[in-house]
């Protein structure tokens, strides 16, 4: 890569890259990722490319800052043009920087999007953001065709490519308990096997409850049995916990700044629905966990869940934490979808509605661990402290 | 076909949801809804019929000796009220309606193994897969088929022997072995290409001039189609553009030839039916996974529901190839108009309605084209076989 003028910091070309080949992707130049006001971190190498570029000088002449410093993190980030638009996006949703310096010297965040990489003992696992409408709809060929692009990126920039490190030898199940990487993969496979047939929110939290129960009791490791039991289990206390978590998460999303409004909203939603939304012109009816949708929406949900899990996004904190996050995210998404459904005629959501809901969950919930972690931690603790009840199964 | 309790054996597609949303579309379709003798008695005796008559409409119209439900000038059923509710249903209950109204969107085909049910994708709730699994309607369908078998069936029953080509039959048991092969060869992301591929392979397999010594279904691989050098795609373009010209210029037969020629030559035309610009004609692949999922459900429903047996199997597969060509063409037109780059339920629903109502499911008027398509494929295969037996001289 001599033409780049610098060397990759870690040679990682040999790390295997695992792609969710059941997703399709082709950029439609919709411009959403470049016009939504997202923070794009710029590494020092790319920052110097930008500073030397002609387009950056032109932007400066027009009074825009090509690079800014993030007030929250202190990192160097891309500047903004009009409103929430990236400083470099042109009116046709094309990148001016790309046009001048080429695809491989744009900020790495821009090069990797909509993919999301996790580095693990078995190489990189990719998934993709469902905030991207092309991923959501599944436009274009299989993401298998993105392999050369992503491998080139990793070979060139190594671990500077934005990713999450999952390099630990042990996977934290919850405080004081851990799994080997192999055990985690076995669990993940067992979980994925049931994902299309079950209502995801209840399935995920019941699996989490039984996994922790079995581990605390020192039962022999048998993830298939844990998942099979979760599918049969009726556990009203666990579902209540998910309902509380969902209501609290919705309250924070609806009233991010106002603690009192959060409490009022949460209580109203749980005990005296409907509750009005502050974000959309909709109201939330009583929470109904594991809500079912039309088959078009269901297909998207299954694709989302499978990609989330395959991409190792359950491993952000402890595994239990990840399962709670995903269960709650599906219920939050379902609550918004159901609210929007009341305000429309016709049997399926408009693509716009699906887009809004997935964008909300992807950009304001599952990725906002710092805001929601205390809430998730609190429910993780409750799940751990749950007494192991006598087995109680739904009649078959 | 009945079991010991004399209830008919009914097979419902296990992968489809449906609940009526009272959108009223099926009550406004320009379909002739036959009034069967039971419904006629119920309607004639109803208050609804009297008030419809007082408003100046005919409750029942006679067309070419067939009695049909009356229509208002806008094409809506005379019994449809302002809330998309049926006045006959409201006054006298569901069972007083004509059988077509009671069974829609279900499509029933009688076979030696009982009744197989498909669903019409003219219905938006079916396209979305909205509501409960169709299994919920089993009892209702069993009752209708038990009491009104004759009048409830849209197509001829499938017998022990069925046409795979126009002059080639197979028995029912062999057909059932073909069905999984067809299912495996179908590609919802490439519906037209995969449909043509399996039609050509089947036609070749059953071709009288096929030099293969022994025909064995176990050796038939529909997913690895025989190559006709693009001739099948050319024919698909020809028939699809002719059908589009018939749909677009229904009242102007003299303009059809020029419309289809210009379309096939890649001219950009305007749709008379929908008032939208038509894109350049092409045989397209499915634009996204959400659309693929619906196309997969559509094809599986009709395969499961034995709607591919409403004519010689190969001609029906070719008809479906034209159907998907037209579906994806209009889908592109509607999406361009909505400037939707990703997925549009409204556009997909509209395109399915056109294809189901006017090309493959609710009409037999185009069957002649599909039979001719089959003939041309058979002739082309005949030439291929002749060359291969003559050897490389």
């Amino acid at each position: 890569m001599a033409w780049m003028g610098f060397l990759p910091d870690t040679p990682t070309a040999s790390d295997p890259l695992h792609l969710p080949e059941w997703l399709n992707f082709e950029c439609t130049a919709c411009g959403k990722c470049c016009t939504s006001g997202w923070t794009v971190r710029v590494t020092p190498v790319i920052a110097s490319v930008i500073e030397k570029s002609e387009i950056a000088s032109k932007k400066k002449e027009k009074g825009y800052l090509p690079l800014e410093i993030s007030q929250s993190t202190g990192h160097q980030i891309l500047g903004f043009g009009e409103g929430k638009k990236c400083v470099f996006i042109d009116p046709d949703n094309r990148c001016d920087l790309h046009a001048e310096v080429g695809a491989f010297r744009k900020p790495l965040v821009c090069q990797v999007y909509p993919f999301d990489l996790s580095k693990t003992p078995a190489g990189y696992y990719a998934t993709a953001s469902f905030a991207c409408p092309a991923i959501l709809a599944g436009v274009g060929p299989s993401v298998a065709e993105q392999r050369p692009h992503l491998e080139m990126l990793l070979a060139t920039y190594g671990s500077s490519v934005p990713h999450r490190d999952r390099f630990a030898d042990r996977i934290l199940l919850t405080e004081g308990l851990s799994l080997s990487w192999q055990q985690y993969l076995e669990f993940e496979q067992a979980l994925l096997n049931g994902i299309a047939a079950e209502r995801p929110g209840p399935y995920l939290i019941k699996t989490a409850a039984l996994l922790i129960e079995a581990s605390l009791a020192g039962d022999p490791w048998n993830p298939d049995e844990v998942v099979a039991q979760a599918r049969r289990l009726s556990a009203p206390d666990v579902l209540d916990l998910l309902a509380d978590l969902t209501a609290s998460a919705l309250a924070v999303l609806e009233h991010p700044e106002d603690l009192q409004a959060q409490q009022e909203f949460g209580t109203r939603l749980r005990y005296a629905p409907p509750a009005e939304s502050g974000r959309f012109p909709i109201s939330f009816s009583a929470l109904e966990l594991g809500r079912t949708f039309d088959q078009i929406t269901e297909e998207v949900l299954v694709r989302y869940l499978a990609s989330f899990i395959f991409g190792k996004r359950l491993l952000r904190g402890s595994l239990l934490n990840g399962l709670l996050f995903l269960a709650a995210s599906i219920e939050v998404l379902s609550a918004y979808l159901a609210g929007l459904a009341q305000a429309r005629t016709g049997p399926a959501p408009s693509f716009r509605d699906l887009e809004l809901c997935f964008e909300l969950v992807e950009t304001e919930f599952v990725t906002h661990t710092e805001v929601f972690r205390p809430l998730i931690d609190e429910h993780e603790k409750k799940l751990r402290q749950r007494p192991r009840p006598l087995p109680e199964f739904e009649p078959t | 076909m009945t079991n010991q309790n004399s209830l008919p054996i009914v097979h419902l597609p296990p992968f489809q949801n449906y609940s009526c949303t009272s959108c009223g579309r099926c009550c406004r379709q320009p379909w002739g809804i036959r009034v069967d003798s039971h419904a006629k008695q119920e309607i004639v005796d109803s208050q609804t019929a009297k008030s419809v008559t007082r408003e100046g409409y005919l409750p029942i119209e006679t067309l070419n000796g067939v009695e049909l439900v009356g229509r208002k000038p806008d094409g809506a059923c005379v019994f449809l009220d302002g809330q998309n509710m049926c006045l006959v249903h409201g006054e006298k209950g569901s069972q007083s309606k004509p059988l077509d109204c009671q069974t829609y969107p279900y499509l029933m085909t009688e076979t030696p193994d009982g009744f197989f049910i498909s669903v019409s994708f003219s219905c938006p709730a079916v396209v979305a897969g909205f509501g409960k699994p169709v299994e919920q309607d089993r009892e209702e369908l069993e009752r209708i088929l038990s009491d009104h078998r004759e009048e409830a069936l849209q197509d001829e029953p499938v017998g022990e022997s069925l046409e795979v080509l126009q002059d080639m039959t197979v028995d029912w048991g062999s057909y059932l072995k073909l069905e999984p092969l067809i299912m495996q060869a179908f590609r919802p992301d490439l519906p037209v290409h995969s449909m043509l591929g399996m039609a050509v392979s089947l036609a070749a397999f059953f071709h009288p001039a096929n030099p293969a010594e022994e025909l064995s279904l176990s050796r038939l691989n529909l997913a690895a189609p025989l190559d006709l050098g693009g001739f099948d795609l050319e024919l698909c373009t020809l028939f699809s553009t002719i059908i589009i010209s018939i749909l677009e210029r229904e009242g102007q037969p003299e303009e059809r030839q020029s419309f289809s020629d210009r379309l096939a030559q890649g001219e950009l035309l305007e749709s008379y039916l929908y008032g939208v610009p038509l894109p350049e004609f092409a045989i397209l692949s499915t634009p996204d996974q959400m659309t693929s999922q619906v196309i997969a459900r559509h094809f599986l429903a009709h395969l499961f529901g034995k709607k591919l047996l409403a004519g010689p199997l190969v001609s029906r597969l070719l008809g479906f190839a034209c159907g998907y060509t037209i579906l994806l063409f209009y889908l592109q037109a509607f999406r361009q108009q909505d400037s939707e780059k990703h997925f549009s339920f409204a556009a997909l629903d509209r395109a399915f309605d056109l294809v189901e109502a006017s090309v493959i499911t609710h009409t037999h008027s185009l069957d002649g084209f599909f039979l001719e398509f089959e003939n041309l494929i058979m002739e082309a295969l005949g030439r291929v076989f002749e060359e291969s037996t003559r050897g490389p001289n």
Side-chain angles (χ1 to χ4, degrees):
Chain A
M1 296 298 141
W3 56 272
M4 289 278 181
F6 50 86
L7 287 169
D9 53 359
T10 326
T12 53
S14 58
D15 276 336
L17 172 65
H18 307 272
L19 294 171
E21 297 187 352
W22 62 88
L23 293 181
N24 288 4
F25 173 69
E26 184 173 80
C27 178
T28 61
C30 74
K32 184 169 191 172
C33 52
C34 313
T35 59
S36 296
W38 297 344
T39 304
V40 175
R41 189 174 168 185
V42 181
T43 55
V45 172
I46 301 288
S48 74
V49 171
I50 292 175
E51 273 157 6
K52 287 177 204 148
S53 71
E54 281 176 33
I55 186 70
S57 317
K58 276 189 205 158
K59 295 292 174 186
K60 278 185 207 156
E61 282 163 26
K62 287 188 182 162
Y64 296 117
L65 285 175
L67 292 168
E68 294 177 15
I69 300 295
S70 161
Q71 291 184 345
S72 52
T73 62
H75 292 133
Q76 213 163 14
I77 61 169
L78 277 184
F80 293 97
E82 301 293 334
K84 293 176 167 183
K85 288 187 178 181
C86 170
V87 66
F88 291 118
I89 193 157
D90 81 3
D92 296 325
N93 289 336
R94 299 284 165 184
C95 174
D96 285 335
L97 189 64
H98 183 134
E100 183 182 337
V101 305
F104 277 96
R105 296 202 288 171
K106 286 193 294 191
L108 298 174
V109 175
C110 307
Q111 291 193 47
V112 82
Y113 191 81
F115 296 99
D116 171 300
L117 300 175
S118 287
K119 194 175 185 185
T120 75
Y124 284 97
Y125 280 85
T127 181
S129 170
F130 276 62
C132 166
I135 287 288
L136 182 63
V139 178
S142 160
V143 302
E145 300 202 10
Q146 303 293 322
R147 179 176 290 284
H149 161 74
L150 289 169
E151 282 181 347
M152 173 81 155
L153 196 59
L154 287 168
T156 310
Y157 294 99
S159 54
S160 304
V161 177
H163 70 277
R164 292 185 186 80
D165 270 313
R166 299 283 153 237
F167 234 147
D169 291 341
R170 304 286 296 175
I171 301 294
L172 189 65
L173 173 56
T174 186
E175 204 189 317
L177 289 170
S178 66
L179 301 175
S180 70
W181 176 248
Q182 190 52 40
Q183 283 177 320
Y184 170 72
L185 288 182
E186 287 162 14
F187 169 73
E188 185 186 287
Q189 194 51 56
L191 186 68
L192 281 170
N193 289 343
I195 207 82
E198 299 294 320
R199 301 318 305 155
Y203 171 62
L204 289 163
I205 198 154
K206 285 191 293 180
T207 302
L210 287 181
L211 184 64
I212 195 68
E213 231 174 72
S215 300
L216 288 172
D219 291 354
W221 174 246
N222 188 346
D224 290 321
E225 180 56 26
V226 166
V227 168
Q229 273 193 34
R231 296 175 72 168
R232 296 195 304 262
L233 180 76
S234 98
D237 63 323
V238 176
L239 296 183
D240 258 3
L241 201 127
L242 179 58
D244 285 339
L245 174 58
T246 306
S248 307
L250 276 167
V252 177
L253 286 165
E254 285 288 329
H255 301 283
E257 310 289 334
D258 186 342
L259 273 178
Q260 197 189 333
Q262 279 175 21
Q263 269 187 349
E264 281 170 17
F265 177 91
T267 310
R268 193 166 171 86
L269 184 60
R270 273 300 262 136
Y271 304 108
E276 297 297 313
S277 165
R279 304 177 75 109
F280 302 122
I282 59 172
S283 70
F284 297 98
S285 51
L287 279 181
E288 188 191 306
L289 299 181
R291 216 182 270 269
T292 53
F293 295 96
D294 62 276
Q295 289 176 281
I296 293 177
T297 305
E298 291 283 331
E299 183 269 332
V300 181
L301 285 174
V302 170
R303 208 151 29 88
Y304 175 65
L305 285 161
S307 314
F308 191 104
I309 296 167
F310 172 88
K312 309 295 169 275
R313 291 177 71 184
L314 286 176
L315 301 179
R316 244 164 236 191
S318 70
L319 174 56
L320 205 56
N321 212 286
L323 287 165
L324 282 167
F325 241 123
L326 184 56
S329 82
I330 289 295
E331 294 303 337
V332 164
L333 184 73
S334 299
Y336 278 106
L337 276 173
L340 288 164
Q342 288 173 1
R344 67 148 202 261
T345 55
S350 69
F351 189 71
R352 182 82 199 122
D353 284 357
L354 276 175
E355 219 183 315
L356 277 175
C357 294
F358 273 96
E359 183 185 340
L360 187 97
V361 165
E362 283 277 81
T363 65
E364 295 188 48
F365 184 58
V366 277
T367 45
H368 277 229
T369 40
E370 73 284 7
V371 177
F372 290 98
R373 181 55 56 72
L375 188 63
I376 302 284
D377 285 348
E378 178 197 326
H379 287 81
E380 179 178 349
K381 200 174 287 171
K382 284 186 188 160
L383 207 55
R384 289 171 53 116
Q385 288 163 354
R386 187 174 159 263
R388 187 171 203 180
L390 293 169
E392 178 193 353
F393 298 119
E394 280 170 355
T396 46
Chain B
M1 170 59 61
T2 53
N3 63 18
Q4 290 106 331
N5 307 322
S6 80
L7 266 181
I9 297 167
V10 173
H11 305 276
L12 285 151
F15 45 79
Q16 179 66 42
N17 295 351
Y18 162 72
S19 297
C20 178
T21 63
S22 298
C23 72
R25 180 187 291 167
C26 54
C27 310
R28 292 189 179 85
Q29 294 277 17
W31 297 335
I33 303 295
R34 295 165 299 167
V35 181
D36 52 273
S37 52
H38 174 73
K40 184 178 178 182
Q41 202 53 53
E42 294 287 329
I43 291 170
V44 167
D45 290 344
S46 69
Q47 290 303 313
T48 298
K50 293 195 181 81
S51 65
V52 163
T53 309
R54 268 199 303 279
E55 288 169 41
Y57 303 117
L58 282 175
I60 297 174
E61 298 171 349
T62 308
L63 189 72
N64 302 328
V66 183
E67 289 183 306
L68 306 172
V69 296
R71 296 283 167 177
K72 292 187 178 171
D74 63 0
C77 173
V78 285
F79 302 121
L80 187 66
D81 77 4
Q83 276 72 52
N84 285 336
M85 292 299 180
C86 172
L87 293 167
V88 175
H89 186 139
E91 181 188 339
K92 308 197 77 173
S94 162
Q95 296 183 24
S96 299
K97 292 189 290 190
L99 283 165
D100 285 351
C101 308
Q102 292 185 46
T103 56
Y104 189 83
Y106 295 110
L107 309 167
M108 294 161 292
T109 303
E110 187 172 9
T111 76
D113 285 335
F115 297 91
F116 282 84
I117 311 293
S118 184
V119 279
S120 170
F121 279 63
S122 274
C123 167
V126 168
V127 176
F130 172 86
K132 300 201 184 93
V134 297
E135 184 61 32
Q136 70 182 307
D137 288 328
R138 173 178 293 283
E139 280 181 25
E140 178 72 358
L141 290 168
E142 282 173 350
R143 181 192 63 75
I144 291 172
L145 285 167
S146 148
D147 297 350
H148 307 284
R149 177 188 156 276
E150 293 275 333
E151 291 128 312
L153 294 176
Q154 292 90 356
D155 290 319
E156 291 292 306
V158 174
E160 284 292 349
S161 150
L162 53 97
E163 283 186 305
V164 57
L165 293 162
Q166 281 164 73
D167 36 25
M168 172 80 69
T169 57
V170 294
D171 59 39
W172 170 245
S174 302
Y175 168 73
L176 289 179
K177 288 181 195 144
L178 278 178
E179 215 170 72
L181 300 179
I182 294 175
M183 200 179 329
Q184 281 157 21
F186 182 64
R187 295 264 312 263
D189 55 335
L190 284 170
V192 183
H193 299 80
S194 60
M195 200 64 72
L196 290 172
M198 65 178 100
V200 171
S201 308
L202 268 177
F205 184 79
F206 289 104
H207 200 290
N210 188 339
E213 308 232 319
E214 196 187 340
L215 294 185
S216 158
L217 279 181
S218 59
R219 274 198 259 142
L220 178 59
N221 181 2
L222 295 177
L226 205 131
D227 186 12
L228 280 183
F231 185 58
D232 48 348
L233 285 165
E234 273 173 46
L235 289 176
C236 187
T237 298
L238 175 72
F239 284 108
S240 300
T241 51
I242 291 174
I243 293 167
I244 291 169
S245 74
I246 293 171
L247 303 174
E248 288 283 348
R249 306 309 282 138
E250 196 187 357
Q252 286 79 22
E254 70 286 356
E255 290 178 26
R256 288 179 193 161
Q257 178 80 43
S258 118
F259 194 93
S260 61
D261 287 350
R262 290 163 65 201
L263 200 58
Q265 283 155 18
E267 258 188 69
L268 296 177
L269 303 174
E270 177 93 7
S271 166
Y272 293 88
L273 273 181
Y274 297 100
V276 300
L278 292 173
E280 189 180 328
F281 182 83
I283 292 180
L284 301 166
S285 54
T286 308
D288 57 79
Q289 287 173 291
M290 292 173 73
T291 303
S292 287
Q293 189 263 355
V294 183
I295 289 179
R297 245 187 313 113
H298 172 260
F299 183 67
L300 286 185
H302 286 343
L303 180 67
F304 176 92
K306 310 299 172 265
K307 297 306 283 181
L308 287 170
L309 301 179
L313 177 60
V314 168
S315 82
R316 288 291 288 164
L317 288 168
L318 295 168
F320 270 66
C322 295
Y324 288 126
T325 302
I326 295 166
L327 176 89
L328 294 171
F329 177 68
Y330 277 93
L331 179 62
Q332 193 188 11
F334 298 150
R335 281 166 63 140
Q336 272 177 9
Q337 207 209 4
D338 301 350
S339 42
E340 178 52 68
K341 290 176 169 179
H342 303 102
F343 172 79
S344 162
F345 177 75
L348 184 62
D349 175 34
R350 240 169 141 190
F352 261 117
D353 184 29
L354 173 71
V355 169
E356 287 283 77
S358 308
V359 185
I360 52 178
T361 298
H362 297 288
T363 177
H364 287 294
S365 65
L366 301 170
D367 289 359
F369 289 112
F370 306 144
L371 295 173
E372 185 56 22
F373 197 166
E374 181 186 301
N375 290 337
L376 293 169
I377 292 287
M378 289 300 281
E379 282 172 30
L381 286 167
R383 290 191 293 275
V384 171
F385 288 135
E386 198 181 322
E387 278 164 29
S388 69
T389 45
R390 253 197 262 127
N393 294 318

